[in-house]
Amino acid sequence: MNKPLLAALATLAVTGIGVAPAAASPAAPASSASSASPASPAAPAARAVSFAGTVALSNCSGSLVRLPASEDDDPALVMSNGHCLETGFPAAGEVVVDQPSSRSFGLLNASGTRVGTLRAGKIAYATMTDTDVSLYQLTSTYAQIRGSYGISPLTLDDTRPTAGTAITVVSGYWKRTYACSVDGFAYRLKEGEWTWKDSVRYTSACQTIGGTSGSPVVDNATGEVVAVNNTGNEDGGRCTDNNPCEVAEDGTVTVREGINYGQQTYQIPACFGLDNKLDLSRSGCVLPKP
């Protein structure tokens, strides 16, 4: 995973200091981190994607998000990874629903400046089974956030992305972007005890690092969120922690050293109803249930 907790919790236990992302470099710049050349087709589009609506967690990245049917007076949602929960990694098969939380998030504007602090009221949904996502319900509405800070949420696209789509991974933690394209999809992505379905594989230009976990993956053409960044194969290991492998439908295992992945988010809107209320029994909702 792009891995805030394993090494960080070990550091916390030994030193007593606050959690910080593993593998995160203090020298990370606040500009685009794409390794694509300036002449690459994705580079101009990526510059149009800003930090507005992204958030910084204590150990990860995230984003203020709305569903296609969300209204201004709905309680706002923040999306990150399941493995970014303040309570630690959910076990395989575990689903967290409606758990109280007072977690805070630093809200960024378009240039990456922190303009305010948002506060959770609860973890509406989180899991590392089939996908790797957490959705926090905030104590403020979208209208209140816009009125206080002039920031609107990012919209979750309810359509599955396609290979070749130009994307940008936007890290609120590092105030750093990664521009590349959707290379394809992994039927199953296995990392340690966890297995994720239909994961987005990035082209090699998106060299995400620790602390980028939970970043929104934005479709450059629409500005909507199509995935949440979560992992990458660090050193060629096979299906181990920090070294996910792809498992094809016929069982063939492929290891792609240095390649990073995100989990699709188009399934999420079907699981929320009026007032941004989670309802896992809704027609079309395929998120894992407790």
Side-chain angles (χ1 to χ4, degrees):
M1 279 155 268
N2 290 129
K3 319 155 256 328
L5 295 176
L6 289 176
L9 289 178
T11 300
L12 179 64
V14 172
T15 68
I17 63 173
V19 175
S25 167
S31 59
S32 173
S34 169
S35 61
S37 68
S40 67
R47 286 196 293 268
V49 177
S50 79
F51 294 98
T54 62
V55 301
L57 285 66
S58 59
N59 58 349
C60 281
S61 298
S63 54
L64 177 69
V65 296
R66 66 179 297 275
L67 313 169
S70 293
E71 299 181 348
D72 280 354
D73 61 353
D74 289 340
L77 300 172
V78 160
M79 182 177 71
S80 188
N81 284 146
H83 79 258
C84 293
L85 289 180
E86 65 269 41
T87 51
F89 289 18
E94 182 180 359
V95 176
V96 178
V97 172
D98 291 335
Q99 178 175 301
S101 173
S102 59
R103 194 168 196 182
S104 62
F105 312 91
L107 179 66
L108 306 185
N109 65 12
S111 63
T113 300
R114 179 170 175 154
V115 294
T117 300
L118 306 178
R119 184 76 61 180
K122 67 178 179 180
I123 302 167
Y125 183 87
T127 192
M128 289 179 66
T129 299
D130 294 353
T131 186
D132 183 7
V133 70
S134 58
L135 290 153
Y136 289 84
Q137 181 177 298
L138 304 186
T139 56
S140 49
T141 67
Y142 297 117
Q144 289 169 334
I145 294 169
R146 187 181 298 109
S148 295
Y149 308 113
I151 301 296
S152 296
L154 301 174
T155 299
L156 295 183
D157 194 337
D158 58 5
T159 303
R160 186 179 185 272
T162 58
T165 299
I167 55 174
T168 302
V169 181
V170 189
S171 172
Y173 185 93
W174 286 122
K175 303 177 179 63
R176 187 174 180 181
T177 62
Y178 302 78
C180 59
S181 297
V182 175
D183 183 56
F185 303 90
Y187 174 72
R188 297 289 185 268
L189 192 67
K190 181 172 176 55
E191 179 173 345
E193 69 177 89
W194 299 280
T195 300
W196 304 305
K197 296 180 177 179
D198 200 22
S199 303
V200 175
R201 182 197 316 117
Y202 310 148
T203 53
S204 60
C206 280
Q207 290 295 305
T208 51
I209 61 173
T212 64
S213 287
S215 298
V217 181
V218 178
D219 182 328
N220 293 348
T222 66
E224 296 189 342
V225 177
V226 295
V228 58
N229 180 64
N230 82 308
T231 195
N233 187 291
E234 287 191 344
D235 51 25
R238 181 183 171 99
C239 313
T240 60
D241 289 350
N242 302 324
N243 287 288
C245 63
E246 297 185 22
V247 182
E249 197 165 2
D250 64 2
T252 302
V253 175
T254 302
V255 172
R256 302 179 191 268
E257 183 176 357
I259 294 299
N260 295 291
Y261 301 86
Q263 301 308 311
Q264 297 191 60
T265 52
Y266 74 93
Q267 316 96 323
I268 292 172
C271 300
F272 285 80
L274 290 174
D275 302 322
N276 275 359
K277 184 175 177 57
L278 179 73
D279 182 358
L280 297 176
S281 67
R282 294 186 82 219
S283 176
C285 177
V286 297
L287 289 179
K289 299 172 176 58

